[in-house]
Structures are given as structure tokens and as C-alpha cells.
Amino acid sequence: MPRAIQEAKSEVSIANALEAALKLFSSQGFRATSMRQIASASGLSVGNLYHHFTNKEAIFQQLIEQYWEYILDPQLRLNTIFSKAEFPDDLEEMATAIEEVVEACAPYILLVYVDVIEFEGRHVRAFYEGMADRFEEAYGDRFRQRRQAGEFGDVNPMVAVMVATRWLFYFFTVEKCFGVPMHLGMSPQKAVSEFMKLLRYGLEPRSAQAAGSPN
Amino acid sequence: MPRAIQEAKSEVSIANALEAALKLFSSQGFRATSMRQIASASGLSVGNLYHHFTNKEAIFQQLIEQYWEYILDPQLRLNTIFSKAEFPDDLEEMATAIEEVVEACAPYILLVYVDVIEFEGRHVRAFYEGMADRFEEAYGDRFRQRRQAGEFGDVNPMVAVMVATRWLFYFFTVEKCFGVPMHLGMSPQKAVSEFMKLLRYGLEPRSAQAAGSPN
DNA sequence: TAAAGCAAACTGAACGTTCGGTCGGTATTC
DNA sequence: GAATACCGACCGAACGTTCAGTTTGCTTTA
């Protein structure tokens, strides 16, 4: 067997282990998941697991890094939306892109909560601390331009884009990861579209000539 | 010792155990916390712990019930605000009342996440499933009246009050429980006041005669 | 081409420790 | 003396981790 294939073989083992560990950590927590569970779920032996990973926490660490890479990938649809900086015109696209991410990453998102509880957020702290800066980088200049052009009212668009993003993440996380669908008492589509209307027009009623037909 | 005092004595033991368990569960998770840790942190013996609680999960269960009682107490300031149904005029009061609750309940809130991870949300599901109904009960009639009186624009005020409440809870939870202060890149006061402005006026600029002075 | 060599992949029994939970017993109070 | 509060030694099971040893498959040597 050529060397490349042998390498591929062990990479498959590692991938299997990570996949099994993700499923177990996200549904039971870190401490509640044993190396034997990971081993038998991934078809590896306990010894082999320790051949590929220095210890249990190293597996957890690698999973967090996988998530980080996925979420910061410039190719990710959500990131292409951010980079265009067309907020809030692209709110609908943002919402479906975030739903997509939450759907695709559901177990990884739960891992974040596992980290907060069992490791005091040690593995994810940096990610959240850097969030505001990443938004500043994506939107800062454009927003300052557009604000000078009178495009926004009193409202700070930077806060708005962060609120919108985090709210949508939170909403879909509760719906899809926490197992509480319809927690606002309506379908996700309805909830999201009402949320976007709220973001755009606000609660204070507008004068007659404002956009949008009353219903 | 009179009966009342003896009862009080064992109640103190139970309270100590619950307090210690809360601290441990919320900072390490359920499985990662041992009965011996709870025992030594509360000054009880392992045997005594099992005298007062049938098993470890029963301790967890009681803590969740404590939280539930606290949060649904009609005397709680946040609930007096809800019962007045003056949203969104009382947004500022709501924000500080929610900050108060999060501050007071920080460990209990983390317990919710522990439950989601380690018990599939078994102990808290009912609470979140009933949330929309509780808002309907508090705000339904008043909002329908006020809407007919033209007090709201296109925006659904029921969605707005739930978004506002959940957002503020989420925001303060990340700030105070997850250990990521200033995660929106600004002080909590600034973030909350910008959020409220966003809720009230929306992103779309208003015509000249609209309330609020431009800055 | 066949044998020898070798490093990586892999195995599973075993280690010391800790776990949740039990139980026989003592101290205290009525 | 009955009942409650409490203690801590104890149980079997499971834990994370180790390790001596086997298998595998490519490379080097003859």
C-alpha cells in the first residue's frame, strides 16, 4: 500500500474519533463522556485513541478548533454576506445563512456551552472576545460612509448588525439545539420575519408617508 | 431542643447542601461534580446527604425548582413590570430588572445550560415551552386594545416584547455568566441603550418630524 | 523477488483512583 | 424508647491513562 493511503487510513481513524466525540460531548458533556464510549462509537480501541490524541481534553480542543475554522472560513456564505457590508438590506439572506450555520454546526454550538460550563469558557473565550473587532473590520468603514450619507437614523448600525446576528444565532440555537421549537409561540419563519420588521421599522409608529402598508 | 429548632437545624443542612451544589453544578457541570465535593463543601457527610436527598439528580431537580419559583414569583420586580403591560414605555425599567435577575440568578441560569447539555433539557423544557403562553397572558389583551388604538405600527408588539426580554436575558447572561464582558465591544449600559433605541426607532431613517433629535 | 528491518497503527488487560450509593451504627432530641 | 440527624467505612463499577505487545505495510537489503 502506498504511503499516501496509509496516511489516509489513520486520518480516517482520527476523523471517526472526532466525529464520535463530537456527538457524545455535545449530548452528554465532557466529563460525562468516557474514552471507552468514544472508542467504541468510533470503532477504535482505547489505546489507539491515546495513540492519536494526548488525552481527552485534546480531543475536545481539536473539535473547538474545527468549529472555529468553519465559522471563520471566508468561503462560508455568512461571511461573504458580512464582507459585502450591505446590512440591513440583506437581512433576509443573513437570517437564512445563520440558520444554515446553526443547522450545520448544531453539535459544535452545544460544545461552546459545554466549554462555558466545564472549562469556564477557556477554549472559546478568545473567539467571543474578538467578535466586536471582527464586526468593526467588516462593517466599520462602510457604516461610517453610509451614516454620513444619512442612510441611518439615530440608530447605531454597528450595534444593530451585532444584535441582529447574535439574536438570530441565539434564536436558531434554542430552536434547533436546545430542543424547544416554536419557543416564541410561532413558526421560525414568522418569528424571524417579525424580528426583521422590528429591526427595520421599530416600535414607535411612523407617520403616514413612511414605507410599508398597514395590515 | 424544641422541635421547631431541630427542624430548622436540618433545614439549614439542606440549604447548605443546595447552596454548595448550586455553586459546584454551575461551575463544573452535573456529572463532573461528585457527592463528596458537595458534602465537604457544605460541611455534611456523604451519608447525611443521602439522608436528605434520594440521589444526586434530586439535588439538581430541587435547584431547578428553586429557580422556577424565583422567576415566576409575582413579587419579582420584573413580573410586576410585566403585569403592568406598559411595554415599550418601560423598556428601561425592564432592562434593569432583567439585569437584576441575571445578577441574582447567575448560577441558576448556568444550571439551565447544564440541563440542556447533560439532561437534554429535561428539567427546563416545560418552562421554555410555556413562555409564549405566559407572555400572551400578560400582554395579549392590552396589546390588542392598544393596537386598535393605533399605538403600534406594522410591528407585532408581542414579538417585540419577547425579543426584548429574551435578548436582554441573553445579553446579560453572556456578560455575567459566560465571563465575556463587553462582548459587543462597548459597556453594557451603552449596548443596552443602543439596543433600546433600535427597538423603538428601527434602522430605516424616519422623516423629519419624527421624534428624537439627530446626533 | 524474497527476506529482513522498521516505524506507525493498533490492541486490550491492568493500574490506581474516584465514582454514586449503601449501611451499620452513634448522637441528639422528644 | 422512638424517631430523626448524622457519620464514615465500605461496595462494585467505571473512570482516565498506561503499556507491553501484536499487526500492518512500506523500505531496504541480499
Side-chain angles (χ1 to χ4, degrees), chain A residues 1-3 33-36 46 50 55-56:
Chain A
M1 195 182 286
R3 174 156 193 84
T33 298
S34 74
M35 290 296 270
R36 283 166 187 78
V46 176
Y50 277 94
N55 55 28
K56 193 163 69 148

Side-chain angles (χ1 to χ4, degrees), chain A residues 90-147:
Chain A
D90 54 5
L91 252 175
E92 282 77 8
E93 291 171 64
M94 253 180 67
T96 61
I98 289 174
E99 181 173 10
E100 227 174 72
V101 171
V102 174
E103 191 97 56
C105 296
Y108 288 99
I109 291 172
L110 287 172
L111 238 46
V112 172
Y113 293 95
V114 172
D115 186 56
V116 166
I117 297 292
E118 301 196 45
F119 296 102
E120 298 171 307
R122 200 190 312 148
H123 303 91
V124 301
R125 172 88 28 99
F127 182 86
Y128 282 91
E129 280 175 351
M131 199 179 62
D133 288 342
R134 293 195 298 276
F135 273 105
E136 169 62 29
E137 180 148 3
Y139 286 97
D141 293 339
R142 282 287 289 138
F143 276 165
R144 276 184 286 274
Q145 283 169 22
R146 290 165 62 191
R147 194 165 200 179

Side-chain angles (χ1 to χ4, degrees), chain B residues 41-201:
Chain B
S42 61
L44 304 193
S45 67
V46 176
N48 197 9
L49 225 41
Y50 278 96
H51 175 70
H52 291 298
F53 304 94
T54 58
N55 55 29
K56 191 163 70 149
E57 192 173 336
I59 301 178
F60 188 80
Q61 172 82 26
Q62 280 210 25
L63 288 170
I64 295 282
E65 277 159 21
Q66 280 188 350
Y67 177 50
W68 184 296
E69 274 170 37
Y70 181 91
I71 222 79
L72 293 183
D73 180 4
Q75 307 261 28
L76 184 70
R77 197 154 76 91
L78 179 59
N79 288 330
T80 67
I81 292 174
F82 283 150
S83 70
K84 278 191 247 162
E86 283 167 0
F87 181 87
D89 292 346
D90 55 6
L91 253 175
E92 282 77 10
E93 290 170 64
M94 254 180 65
T96 61
I98 289 175
E99 181 173 10
E100 226 174 73
V101 171
V102 174
E103 193 96 56
C105 295
Y108 288 99
I109 291 173
L110 287 171
L111 239 45
V112 172
Y113 293 96
V114 171
D115 185 57
V116 166
I117 296 292
E118 302 196 45
F119 296 102
E120 297 171 306
R122 200 188 315 147
H123 304 89
V124 300
R125 172 87 30 96
F127 182 87
Y128 282 92
E129 280 174 351
M131 198 180 62
D133 287 343
R134 291 195 300 276
F135 273 105
E136 169 61 30
E137 181 147 3
Y139 286 97
D141 293 338
R142 282 287 289 137
F143 276 166
R144 275 184 288 274
Q145 284 170 21
R146 290 165 63 190
R147 194 166 200 178
Q148 281 208 330
E151 205 175 319
F152 306 110
D154 273 0
V155 169
N156 179 337
M158 191 64 79
V159 171
V161 71
M162 290 195 288
V163 164
T165 305
R166 294 315 306 165
W167 166 260
L168 289 167
F169 259 104
Y170 174 73
F171 175 79
F172 286 118
T173 298
V174 173
E175 291 276 317
K176 291 171 199 290
C177 306
F178 289 10
V180 192
M182 308 250 298
H183 72 288
L184 293 192
M186 61 194 75
S187 73
Q189 294 82 353
K190 176 82 175 157
V192 167
S193 84
E194 289 291 342
F195 171 66
M196 294 189 300
K197 219 193 285 178
L198 176 63
L199 276 188
R200 284 190 168 117
Y201 305 113

